[in-house]
Amino acid sequence: MKSLAALATAMLAAPVGAQKPPAPAVPNENDAPIAYLLDASSGQVLFERDIDRRFMPASITKVMTTFLAFEWMEEGRIFPEQVYGIRPETFRQWSRKGSTMFLPADARVTVDDLIHGVTTVSANDGAIVLAEGAAGSVEDWVAAMNAKASEIGMANSHFGNPNGWMDEGRTFVTARDLGTLAQAMVTRHPSKYRHFVGASELKYNGIAQRNHDPISGVVRGADGIKTGYTNQAGFGFLGSAQRDGRRLIMVVAGSPGSRERARASRSLIEWGFQEFEGKTLFAPEARIASARVQGGGAPEVGLEAPSGVRISIPKGTNPEVALSLRYEGPLRAPIAQGEQVAELVVAIAGMPEHRVPLVASEEVLDATMLQRVFNAFRSWIT
């Protein structure tokens, strides 16, 4: 991998620009006992404080409900134009209970409106009606939430309901897992994310309500995602912003008040943009390396990162970057084009190591009898 490292070093050796303005500091521990900043464009962790500690997410739970709705829309299981009613018992239990979109007892509401209610005004009633309408019951929807969480790698989280209402601790998450969830949402469903997340207000049933997101409209490039608060959980926020091709995802949790949460959220994400700059190591679909293949029609397969390989480095620095390839090899044919088969390990001096998934650049079929003979002869003479 010497060629990879040499290329990385060459690309980082760019002239330093003008003096940057003073950057905000990372939030102090009193404002945000739990804090996490992830560069979604590179996969790098830029800041972390107690990010594997479990906590109750309160209404941030609704991000999982939103993501599951996006996944089911993609699969054709639900559609934005679908209309759901509200069961009488659901109305009795959830009408005006906590944050609400004021669904009436005779509601005939679209999936589109329900998701906007969930993402914009944290509608507890909307989350329940969406769950019941889409899955048939809250229990089945919650089971699907947990299955989806496991699928995307939320290894230390569990959901007990669709809206984050207090449930004696059955619902818990970590900041790291929330970062994983947000990254999956914005990368898998960018158009749905733009349509449903980050609206400044919701007008429904003759009532206008504003979004309480502390960064959208305040931080340049900010576009969501979700606040949360209960007496037990304190104040938390999962947020994101995009500037100049870089998307940052942040979590603050356990803040003692909404003012502290807002201050911590804004300072953390501004710090990330002002203290780091992005560099491209490999363009999308560029051949990065190759891996040996056993039993295939070709002896090796090219490796690429579909979205390219980007890194964030502290501004004004030229750190040493080491790149290495990881896969269990040799790989066994057949291999499908686009199949994830390896990882590129990126180690930047002074920063946590991170890994970028690599996929096969081309298809490799099982070797024919003649190709097997040729491969055996080639291995004998080399």
Side-chain angles (χ1 to χ4, degrees), residues 219-244:
V219 173
R220 182 168 66 87
D223 51 18
I225 301 173
K226 189 73 195 70
T227 57
Y229 165 72
T230 65
N231 287 330
Q232 291 176 305
F235 291 79
F237 180 58
L238 170 62
S240 185
Q242 187 171 29
R243 292 182 193 169
D244 305 320

Side-chain angles (χ1 to χ4, degrees), residues 117-370:
V118 167
T119 58
T120 307
V121 297
S122 195
N124 290 322
D125 51 353
I128 298 297
V129 172
L130 176 63
E132 292 180 338
S137 70
V138 166
E139 291 75 20
D140 286 347
W141 179 264
V142 170
M145 289 172 68
N146 286 308
K148 187 61 67 174
S150 177
E151 175 192 313
I152 66 174
M154 297 178 69
N156 203 16
S157 297
H158 183 268
F159 298 99
N161 61 65
N163 57 17
W165 195 259
M166 293 170 288
D167 60 4
E168 299 179 338
R170 288 190 296 276
T171 297
F172 58 84
V173 297
T174 66
R176 188 192 301 275
D177 281 355
L178 288 181
T180 297
L181 172 59
Q183 187 169 24
M185 175 184 284
V186 299
T187 56
R188 289 193 190 187
H189 307 289
S191 61
K192 295 180 181 66
Y193 179 80
R194 287 192 297 270
H195 176 72
F196 286 105
V197 178
S200 60
E201 67 172 5
L202 175 76
K203 294 180 180 178
Y204 179 78
N205 196 24
I207 300 169
Q209 300 182 75
R210 68 181 183 87
N211 193 333
H212 294 287
D213 171 353
I215 63 172
S216 293
V218 179
V219 173
R220 182 168 66 87
D223 51 18
I225 301 173
K226 189 73 195 70
T227 57
Y229 165 72
T230 65
N231 287 330
Q232 291 176 305
F235 291 79
F237 180 58
L238 170 62
S240 185
Q242 187 171 29
R243 292 182 193 169
D244 305 320
R246 293 177 64 215
R247 177 171 289 280
L248 303 186
I249 291 169
M250 53 140 296
V251 179
V252 296
S255 297
S258 60
R259 184 173 301 176
E260 290 84 356
R261 174 180 64 188
R263 181 168 59 221
S265 300
R266 294 165 187 169
S267 64
L268 180 58
I269 206 153
E270 286 286 10
W271 175 84
F273 280 118
Q274 294 190 35
E275 284 296 299
F276 295 86
E277 60 184 336
K279 297 286 185 180
T280 298
L281 297 185
F282 297 97
E285 300 181 355
R287 188 182 180 105
I288 294 173
S290 59
R292 292 183 300 119
V293 176
Q294 184 176 38
E300 62 181 29
V301 63
L303 303 174
E304 63 183 44
S307 299
V309 179
R310 291 176 56 87
I311 60 172
S312 284
I313 59 173
K315 286 186 178 179
T317 68
N318 183 25
E320 181 180 347
V321 179
L323 306 177
S324 57
L325 187 63
R326 294 285 185 273
Y327 67 95
E328 294 184 11
L331 304 174
R332 295 190 63 85
I335 300 170
Q337 183 179 16
E339 179 182 348
Q340 183 180 329
V341 292
E343 291 180 320
L344 181 67
V345 182
V346 184
I348 304 172
M351 300 183 71
E353 176 184 282
H354 71 284
R355 302 187 174 210
V356 180
L358 299 180
V359 303
S361 302
E362 61 273 341
E363 181 182 45
V364 180
L365 299 175
D366 284 322
T368 64
M369 182 60 69
L370 181 60

Side-chain angles (χ1 to χ4, degrees), residues 63 65-81 111-112 115-116 119-120 182 184-199 223 225 247:
V63 180
T65 283
T66 302
F67 177 63
L68 181 59
F70 288 0
E71 292 278 283
W72 281 21
M73 281 193 284
E74 195 73 19
E75 296 166 11
R77 300 177 65 172
I78 60 175
F79 302 92
E81 303 82 8
V111 167
D112 188 277
I115 298 175
H116 272 110
T119 58
T120 307
M185 175 184 284
V186 299
T187 56
R188 289 193 190 187
H189 307 289
S191 61
K192 295 180 181 66
Y193 179 80
R194 287 192 297 270
H195 176 72
F196 286 105
V197 178
D223 51 18
I225 301 173
R247 177 171 289 280

